[in-house]
């Protein structure tokens, strides 16, 4: 087992990473000082696969267990679902000595985390992420949220888990498309923050695609370390945390415009990173062969780098609405070579012109 500690003073916690860790969840909760009832928040898909193992482990460590299912899908990451979780927590008699276990991908983690942050003014929670995206990104760092009809993640809180338990074996049942989309976020860490990690990904691309356990655990560990470093320096997202938005400005806009699930998040980020790399070459911040390496690695992970056809005016609108644009300019994350990022202030019009999108 590998352990990464996120050092945030009294809010510090461990991320445990390895193959076959689910049966150790109960003991992990005990060693974090958790008590009482464990409310496992999950969805029917993940519950059917891993619910029994999680419940058995919690029971054998002496916890009472309640299971709360929410429907599967981003469209249910909303206040109606959150209210149903509060109802179920009250029904199950949860008190402030009890805790929540978020078992699932980023949707479950974000919503269950926000429920934990707010129920009885905050009860402890544990993340058991089961998608690659959740294991390398959303379960670490303490951002919890639900969506609002006017926008994604508009209602939320910074609230750290007590423990993150990552069993890489759970990825074996993940649809291939979701797995590859998660790899886009993995590549992001390499481009924005760590050039030797990027080179490691190039060497290990086949092992990663084959989901070799050791390689996967090493890669997830490095992503968690990088995210932890960023979060430790910038818990509440005042600056440095922006580096993790690499590829996300254009990616997000394309994700919104491409229509429901024609691009999943990681796929849009892959396109956004390819565009960002080309833009940075145009601006002289990286070389053409850096761009070529980035495109090649994304391609070897089965990620397309071809943007969907979009209208200029719609793209401009989407960029203007991006909550990361302030005072008319966008903090665009650039790659300086591979492994180092910088922030460029660009107007949406400048960014569009550099991207070559929208005709
Ligand atoms: N809090 C953060 O810092 C942060 C960061 C990035 C993304 N997010 C959020 O994460 C969410 C996306 O997360 P996601 O990509 O994990 O999507 P998701 O939670 O919707 O999971 C994707 C699909 O995989 C299924 N699934 C999960 N684990 C599985 C497994 N082991 N085997 C088989 N199927 C499995 C799920 O049921 C779902 O259908 C978005 O809501 C996004 O806003 C949050
Ligand atoms: Zn992302």
């Amino acid at each position: 087992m590998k352990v990464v500690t996120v050092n945030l003073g009294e809010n510090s916690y461990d991320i445990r990473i390895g193959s076959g860790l689910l049966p150790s969840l109960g003991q992990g909760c005990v060693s974090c000082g958790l008590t009482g009832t464990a409310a496992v928040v999950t969805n029917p898909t993940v519950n059917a696969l891993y619910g029994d193992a999680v419940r058995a482990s919690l029971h054998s460590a002496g916890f009472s267990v309640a299971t709360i299912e929410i429907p599967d899908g981003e469209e249910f990451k909303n206040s109606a679902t959150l209210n149903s979780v509060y109802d179920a927590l009250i029904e199950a008699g949860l008190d402030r000595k009890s805790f929540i276990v978020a078992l699932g991908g980023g949707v479950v983690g974000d919503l269950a985390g926000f429920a934990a942050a707010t129920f009885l003014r905050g009860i402890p929670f544990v993340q058991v992420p089961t998608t690659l995206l959740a294991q390398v990104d959303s379960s670490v760092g303490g951002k919890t949220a639900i969506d609002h009809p006017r926008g994604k993640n508009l209602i939320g809180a910074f609230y750290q888990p007590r423990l993150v338990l990552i069993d890489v074996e759970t990825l074996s049942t993940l649809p291939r498309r979701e797995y590859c989309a998660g790899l886009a976020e993995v590549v992001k860490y390499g481009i924005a923050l760590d050039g030797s990690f990027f080179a490691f990904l190039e060497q290990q691309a086949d092992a990663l695609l084959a989901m070799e356990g050791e390689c996967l655990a090493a890669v997830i560990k490095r992503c968690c370390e990088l995210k932890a470093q960023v979060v430790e320096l910038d818990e509440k997202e005042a600056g440095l945390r922006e580096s993790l938005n690499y590829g996300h400005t254009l990616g997000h806009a394309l994700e919104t415009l491409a229509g429901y699930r024609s691009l999943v998040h990681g796929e849009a980020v892959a396109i956004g990173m390819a565009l960002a790399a080309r833009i940075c070459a145009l601006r002289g911040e990286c070389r053409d062969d850096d761009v070529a390496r980035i495109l090649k690695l994304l391609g070897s992970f089965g990620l397309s780098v071809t943007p969907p056809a979009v209208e200029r005016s719609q793209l401009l609108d989407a960029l203007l609405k991006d909550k990361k644009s302030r005072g008319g300019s966008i903090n665009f994350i650039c790659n300086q070579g591979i492994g180092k990022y910088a922030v460029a202030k660009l107007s949406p019009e400048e960014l569009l012109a550099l991207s070559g999108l929208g005709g």
Side-chain angles (χ1 to χ4, degrees):
M1 179 177 76
K2 303 177 196 299
V3 180
V4 176
T5 302
V6 186
N7 294 301
L8 294 169
E10 62 179 12
N11 296 328
S12 298
Y13 55 98
D14 282 349
I15 306 167
R16 299 183 177 187
I17 306 156
S19 285
L21 289 192
L22 280 189
S24 71
L25 174 66
Q27 277 312 318
C29 294
V30 170
S31 60
C32 292
L34 296 171
T35 56
T37 300
V40 179
V41 178
T42 185
N43 71 28
T45 313
V46 181
N47 194 18
L49 292 163
Y50 304 108
D52 286 344
V54 161
R55 279 182 288 271
S57 173
L58 290 164
H59 272 305
S60 69
F63 297 106
S64 308
V65 183
T67 300
I68 301 173
E69 270 193 3
I70 63 172
D72 189 350
E74 177 77 31
E75 66 273 35
F76 299 106
K77 199 177 107 176
N78 58 26
S79 57
T81 308
L82 180 68
N83 275 321
S84 74
V85 171
Y86 293 141
D87 290 346
L89 291 170
I90 294 166
E91 190 68 29
L94 252 81
D95 55 22
R96 300 198 60 187
K97 293 199 194 85
S98 301
F99 63 104
I100 287 177
V101 174
L103 171 67
V107 167
V108 165
D110 276 14
L111 187 141
F114 187 59
T118 47
F119 185 67
L120 303 177
R121 300 194 183 84
I123 61 171
F125 90 114
V126 170
Q127 290 269 21
V128 185
T130 60
T131 64
L132 183 57
L133 178 131
Q135 295 182 350
V136 299
D137 193 352
S138 63
S139 69
V140 177
K143 281 211 266 174
T144 70
I146 56 168
D147 299 334
H148 182 274
R150 301 284 290 274
K152 274 190 68 175
N153 298 326
L154 288 186
I155 320 291
F158 285 100
Y159 192 66
Q160 303 295 339
R162 290 291 180 86
L163 170 71
V164 181
L165 186 109
I166 298 178
D167 185 343
V168 303
E169 271 178 20
T170 59
L171 299 180
S172 63
T173 53
L174 193 64
R176 195 73 183 161
R177 184 176 182 189
E178 297 287 348
Y179 180 70
C180 292
L183 287 174
E185 302 281 0
V186 170
V187 173
K188 172 189 80 176
Y189 287 103
I191 302 174
L193 295 170
D194 185 347
S196 42
F197 180 55
F198 186 92
F200 178 79
L201 294 173
E202 291 177 315
Q203 284 155 19
Q204 299 291 321
D206 289 343
L208 258 184
L209 274 174
M211 289 191 181
E212 277 177 22
E214 269 303 300
C215 174
L216 203 45
V219 162
I220 292 168
K221 175 174 184 248
R222 187 64 192 138
C223 293
C224 288
E225 280 171 356
L226 289 164
K227 180 139 188 191
Q229 280 169 19
V230 168
V231 171
E232 281 163 9
L233 294 168
D234 184 17
E235 185 181 358
K236 301 277 166 76
E237 202 158 80
L240 178 63
R241 207 158 163 161
E242 286 186 327
S243 61
L244 302 177
N245 289 333
Y246 181 74
H248 279 59
T249 301
L250 290 167
H252 227 171
L254 293 172
E255 183 182 2
T256 314
L257 296 181
Y260 181 62
R261 285 201 74 87
S262 83
L263 282 179
V264 302
H265 176 72
E267 292 166 344
V269 170
I271 297 170
M273 292 192 295
L275 290 164
R278 289 202 191 94
I279 288 170
C280 294
L282 285 175
R283 289 169 46 88
E285 299 196 62
C286 70
R287 295 173 320 205
D288 288 341
D289 61 298
D290 295 326
V291 180
R293 281 175 71 196
I294 290 169
L295 299 185
K296 181 164 179 234
L297 186 59
L298 292 172
S300 69
F301 290 152
L303 291 159
S304 165
V305 292
T306 310
V310 286
E311 286 208 9
R312 190 188 145 78
S313 60
Q314 286 186 322
L315 198 53
L316 208 51
D317 262 6
L319 288 174
L320 286 167
K321 280 201 198 104
D322 194 310
K323 60 177 189 274
K324 276 134 208 148
S325 74
R326 292 187 195 94
S329 77
I330 292 175
N331 285 348
F332 187 72
I333 311 303
C334 297
N335 57 298
Q336 297 189 320
I338 292 179
K340 190 161 180 282
Y341 81 98
V343 182
K345 290 213 180 292
L346 298 175
S347 70
E349 290 80 6
E350 282 172 310
L351 183 54
L352 259 195
L354 283 165
S355 75
L357 291 170

